[in-house]
Structure formats: structure tokens, C-alpha cells
Amino acid sequence: MSILDARELDANAELSTDVCIVGAGAAGLTVAAALEGGSRDVCIIESGGFQPDEETQSLYDLEAQGYPIREHFMSRARYYGGSCNLWAGRSMRFDACDLAHRSWVQYSGWPLAHTELARYYPEAARIMGLPDIGFFEAERHEAALSAEERSLYAGDALVPTVSLWATRPKRFGAAHRARLRRSRTVRLVLHGNVTKITLDADGGRVESVEGATLAGNRFRVRARAVVLACGGLENARLLLFSRDQHERGVGNACGQVGRYLMDHPRGVYGTVRLREGARLSLLDARPRVDGTVQFGVGFSDGVQQREGLLDHYATLEVQHSEYTARQYQSFIQIMKVLLRRGYAGSRWRAGRANMGHIAGMLYLLAPRELIPHWVYRSYWHARRAVGGAPASRDRVVVYFCEQPPDPESRVTLSRSTDRLGMNRLILNWKVDPCVHASVYRLQALLKERLDQTGMGTLREGTGEIAFTDASHHMGTTRMSETPRTGVVDTDGQVHGVHGLYLAGSSVFPSASHKNPTLTIVALALRLAQHLERNGG
């Protein structure tokens, strides 16, 4: 792989390639690695360098309206490796019901069959270093369940959800760097910001992308196929901003670009006091030699259908005192800097860690996601060796929620511009009342089951649950059968624009409650196969 610095290209330089990939994150690097060594020349364009810097990161600044998002939090990383440089590693697999149309959830359903998506999950799991893909099946863990957990899931209302972690979070940039460096078919352009998509005269085929550096140097990359892999917000921004040939932007004749913005609302609501001696084997994250597994508590498919509920789930996390919470949060922020290297300049302030209301947000990064796997595994087994009781009888209930697709939850272009002259985004995140209602119903069912089994008592939350976003930006260029209901077809190609593809969670038509990264990688593998066969 030749590595170029866009700041050092000749003025108005022009490059040519078969496949141009915009963005070197999980989706873009997966596509590039899958194409590497094949018949297609590939050029990856990355806005940042190999390390974060404040000036480049500021190009992501936006105006937030609607439901509040986290302040002083870097949810997207604009440098080589992308936002997975910050990722804690939780992986979940979409099931058939997650892609199916549900009559009680408007705009739900994928035009892609689950059997087709499932073909790519084993390879995606291997790439991400996860335990065997079969461990997403709850039945595989039957023998490890404690008696209390068996009783909790014994009814027909609540079922286990399964999360897996690798022994360490996948850092896509570092993982692919050596291999791609040796490649004869892949080029990487750093510090190059794509600012525009150019189509042919008829507007029916992509021709090139235009880019610029912060210093003002401009360049163009001509390609037979272009893959936008810039994340759930920037994919839409690029399409909306490219208005030279289409007044509303590329792929937006029906006004669908930027709509159906989804995230995974998360919140802490209620506490549980476990009975003395109660054991949690899988509800507490259980480390394995090859990774970690954790069960949650979710609605059964039957209950969702009968009661018109969303696909939420809950976990029971250790409750901390306010003092412990402050110290713990400081630890989280420090470890983010040391291990994730994702915070740059003024975007992280140690002083911000000392906030007294943090106790309810500890789930954002638990110790198992920050300390080395072997340390957590040793601690876990040592605790079990002295009696098997949980780390604490007092737990907070953390809800991980599905957000139904809503065309009014969206991103649009602001009048304000960044240093490259691109309109910034306005993010208008909508959280429908049905999201709250499904939390309250899950809380009631969990309380009922805890009472019936004697496993513990649940003290219900009071008032309206307050959500935070999960930085899972999805849906803004959704997959659809027609341009009237979305932006891309089942191959990820923009409706009506030959050779222009989108990769990443922006193409998700619906999101379930499941973390998106594993499915992002699976879809990227599928897209790479399509490009190799068809060439764009």
C-alpha cells in the first residue's frame, strides 16, 4: 500500500482507481481488506492521519436539536481507524425477527433477507476476534446458568439476550495497517477531506469525488465505484452537500437522505436488591479464554407482538455510592485516554470527570471493558473461588432500547459552515414516547419475575426515564426497495446512481437494540463481494 499525504499532493492533483473508499473506519477498511489482492485497484481517502488532532476532529462539530445528546463526549473519531478507536467492543448479532416487518412498528423491516445477512456473520466474527459465532445462541450457555438465572427466564415473557466481547476490542486501523502496507492494489490518502461527489452529465453514474485539505490544497479521485464509509451522519452530509447537479443533493430526489436517524437510547431506571447468596453467572459478564459473554433480560418475541412492544433489554450492573461513582468515572476517563487514545486537545478535560450525578451512567464503560481481559478474567475466577456470590447485592437496572424508525428524526444541513466550506449538520434526534412505554413494561415484568422467584426485589424508578444516546448513528441513508422509502438498494448502491455505494450503519432500515458493529462488518464483506464481482 502506498501511503500518500493529501497535503503534499500537487495542487489540483487527480488520482484514478477502480474503487474509491471514503473513510478508513470499520466499514471502509473491511471493504478494502476484502478487495485487497483481487482484481480491483482501491484508493482509501481518510480525513485524518494516524493520530487524532483537534483541527480535523472539529470538522465533525454539529448543532444538536431535539432530544439531548451527551455533552463533552467524543462519539466519532475522525482519523485512521475511525470511531472504533474509541469502541469498548460489545458485539451483538441481528436475528431474523430484527429484519422482519412488524405490524406494530411503522417503517420496520429490511428488504434484505436475514439468511443473506447471516452468510457473512461467521467471517465478520472472525475478523473481530470474537468467540465462536455459535455462542450468540443462548442455548450454548445453558450449563453455565445459575439456578436464579434459570428461574428468571423460566416464564414465557422474558428471554436472555447475548452480548460477546473479544479479548480486546478490534482496532481496525492497527489490525489492517501492516497488511495493507504490503498491498500492491491499495493506496491510502491521509489528511484528505472529501467534500463533494461528482456525477456524469446525466446524473446517473458516479464519476469522482473532490477533496481538500485544511491548508486549502484540493484534489480529485476518479473511480468506477465510490463507497462512502464515513459513518451514520457524514454519509448523509456528503450526499446532501453535493448539490451541483441535484438541488436537493445526490440520491435525494424523494427527500429521504438524512431521515430515519436512529440511535440506541440508554438509561438507568430502578434498582435491584438481590437476596442473600443469589448467584449471577451470566447476568454478570462471564469471561472465557477467547472473550467474554454477558446475558441481558429482554422481551420474548411473543410478548412484543401481543403487546406491541419495542425490542428492549436490560442488564443488572453494580451500584456505586456517589463517592465511588466520582472516583470510578475519573478512572474511566483516564483509561479512555491511555487505552483508547481517542480524545484530542480540549475535547477531554480531566476536571469534567468530577460530576456528582454519574452513578446512573457507569454502564457506558464498565471495568471489564477497560482493564486487560486476563486481569478481569483472573478477578472473576478469584471471586467465584471464595463463594460464588456476586460482587454486590445492589444493582442498577440499565435499559438498552430500540428506537423505531421515524422520518422526522433526522439530520439536515445548517447555514453555518466548517473550515472547508461545508455546511455543518443539524442533528434533530427524536425519541418517541413508545420507547419510554416499553421500558416501563419491561421494568414491570422484571419486577414481577424477581418477586415470583424470590431472586430479589426491584425498586422501580420514579418520574420519566432520562435517556442518553449510545453514539450508534443509524438509518440516515436507509436500505429500501424504492427511492420513495429510502436511499440505497440491497447492494448498498444509491437508487438511480450507478457506482455510488454506502457502507456502515447509515443503511440500516431499523436497528433493534443490538450494537451495530458486527452487522456493519458483515454488510461490508457483502458489499466487497459485490464490487469484486461487478466492479461498480
Side-chain angles (χ1 to χ4, degrees):
M1 170 179 67
S2 60
I3 300 176
L4 307 175
D5 190 322
R7 298 171 299 186
E8 299 173 359
L9 295 175
D10 293 337
N12 300 312
E14 186 169 297
L15 307 175
S16 295
T17 189
D18 292 323
V19 179
C20 176
I21 300 172
V22 183
L29 287 174
T30 297
V31 173
L35 291 174
E36 190 272 326
S39 60
R40 312 292 174 190
D41 288 328
V42 177
C43 179
I44 310 168
I45 308 176
E46 169 54 47
S47 172
F50 287 126
Q51 302 295 331
D53 74 84
E54 181 70 10
E55 284 190 310
T56 300
Q57 186 63 35
S58 69
L59 296 173
Y60 271 160
D61 289 348
L62 50 72
E63 301 172 25
Q65 300 177 356
Y67 201 91
I69 61 173
R70 283 175 285 180
E71 295 185 51
H72 311 309
F73 186 82
M74 182 176 167
S75 63
R76 299 176 290 156
R78 195 167 173 131
Y79 66 103
Y80 177 75
S83 297
C84 278
N85 288 308
L86 312 174
W87 184 46
R90 183 191 294 265
S91 295
M92 305 183 86
R93 182 188 65 179
F94 279 36
D95 299 315
C97 58
D98 299 318
L99 272 63
H101 171 70
R102 290 166 288 164
S103 60
W104 63 97
V105 180
Q106 192 175 16
Y107 307 110
S108 64
W110 291 43
L112 184 70
H114 183 264
T115 52
E116 175 64 13
L117 175 62
R119 291 175 50 209
Y120 300 91
Y121 272 139
E123 177 63 10
R126 186 198 65 77
I127 289 171
M128 293 170 62
L130 295 175
D132 183 272
I133 191 76
F135 285 111
F136 278 115
E137 302 292 342
E139 293 78 9
R140 289 284 294 273
H141 306 281
E142 183 72 23
L145 285 169
S146 68
E148 291 82 5
E149 290 168 331
R150 290 178 192 277
S151 66
L152 181 66
Y153 298 121
D156 65 353
L158 301 177
V159 297
T161 61
V162 182
S163 299
L164 295 181
W165 286 261
T167 55
R168 64 180 62 185
K170 178 77 171 186
R171 299 287 174 249
F172 284 82
H176 290 299
R177 189 170 174 179
R179 175 186 173 187
L180 294 180
R181 188 184 291 276
R182 296 190 300 268
S183 174
R184 297 182 179 180
T185 59
V186 178
R187 283 178 292 176
L188 172 64
V189 179
L190 297 173
H191 302 290
N193 302 281
V194 171
T195 58
K196 191 179 298 183
I197 304 157
T198 304
L199 309 181
D200 65 6
D202 295 330
R205 175 183 285 273
V206 70
E207 282 195 341
S208 65
V209 296
E210 298 177 21
T213 68
L214 287 172
N217 195 15
R218 297 194 172 274
F219 63 93
R220 179 189 299 269
V221 179
R222 294 190 177 275
R224 294 176 59 192
V226 171
V227 178
L228 302 186
C230 328
L233 303 184
E234 290 298 297
N235 277 353
R237 184 187 182 195
L238 265 174
L239 293 176
L240 290 171
F241 185 72
S242 300
R243 292 168 293 186
D244 286 356
Q245 291 158 280
H246 296 288
E247 183 180 359
R248 304 174 75 178
V250 172
N252 197 33
C254 297
Q256 296 297 297
V257 174
R259 293 187 182 274
Y260 303 97
L261 168 68
M262 296 172 288
D263 206 308
H264 286 135
R266 296 182 177 182
V268 176
Y269 197 66
T271 59
V272 168
R273 176 78 169 176
L274 297 172
R275 83 171 155 74
E276 188 73 41
R279 293 178 59 249
L280 303 184
S281 177
L282 288 166
L283 285 169
D284 280 349
R286 182 185 183 92
R288 301 168 40 84
V289 172
D290 54 358
T292 301
V293 59
Q294 184 184 29
F295 272 21
V297 182
F299 293 119
S300 69
D301 292 347
V303 165
Q304 288 183 54
Q305 183 171 2
R306 288 196 303 271
E307 301 189 23
L309 299 170
L310 296 171
D311 188 22
H312 295 359
Y313 81 104
T315 62
L316 305 181
E317 304 289 349
V318 174
Q319 185 177 29
H320 298 263
S321 68
E322 183 175 310
Y323 171 79
T324 303
R326 288 198 297 268
Q327 304 311 309
Y328 181 87
Q329 179 66 7
S330 297
F331 167 74
I332 285 178
Q333 297 283 23
I334 291 168
M335 293 302 287
K336 275 194 169 202
V337 174
L338 295 179
L339 299 182
R340 303 293 180 253
R341 303 178 69 187
Y343 284 70
S346 64
R347 293 182 179 276
W348 179 76
R349 296 275 197 272
R352 287 177 181 162
N354 296 317
M355 296 181 286
H357 62 281
I358 289 297
M361 309 307 295
L362 297 184
Y363 71 91
L364 290 174
L365 279 178
R368 63 179 175 270
E369 297 170 314
L370 289 167
I371 63 178
H373 177 75
W374 69 269
V375 175
Y376 177 69
R377 186 165 176 259
S378 298
Y379 160 76
W380 190 91
H381 283 289
R383 180 156 51 84
R384 292 303 189 273
V386 294
S392 171
R393 292 176 60 196
D394 296 313
R395 303 300 176 98
V396 292
V397 188
V398 183
Y399 294 91
F400 299 75
C401 302
E402 175 184 22
Q403 179 185 349
D406 177 357
E408 297 307 312
S409 182
R410 63 187 300 194
V411 293
T412 54
L413 295 181
S414 168
R415 292 184 178 179
S416 68
T417 59
D418 63 18
R419 285 186 54 185
L420 299 173
M422 294 185 68
N423 298 91
R424 297 193 185 278
L425 282 179
I426 299 173
L427 188 151
N428 191 4
W429 184 36
K430 303 280 190 182
V431 179
D432 192 274
C434 64
V435 178
H436 296 75
S438 290
V439 168
Y440 304 142
R441 182 55 179 151
L442 181 54
Q443 179 180 249
L445 289 173
L446 180 58
K447 174 178 172 56
E448 178 182 299
R449 198 68 194 146
L450 290 170
D451 290 341
Q452 289 174 349
T453 62
M455 182 177 172
T457 57
L458 188 151
R459 181 178 179 181
E460 297 179 82
T462 57
E464 184 175 274
I465 183 172
F467 291 116
T468 185
D469 62 287
S471 302
H472 296 167
H473 307 123
M474 302 167 286
T476 56
T477 63
R478 71 195 316 244
M479 186 187 299
S480 64
E481 293 180 349
T482 74
R484 294 189 301 277
T485 55
V487 179
V488 303
D489 62 20
T490 56
D491 291 321
Q493 185 169 239
V494 173
H495 290 299
V497 184
H498 189 76
L500 179 59
Y501 296 86
L502 301 181
S505 55
S506 69
V507 306
F508 288 14
S510 58
S512 179
H513 61 242
K514 296 181 170 71
N515 291 53
T517 308
L518 180 64
T519 299
I520 288 173
V521 174
L523 287 174
L525 290 170
R526 183 174 182 269
L527 174 55
Q529 186 180 85
H530 173 83
L531 291 170
E532 183 60 41
R533 289 175 176 174
N534 300 281

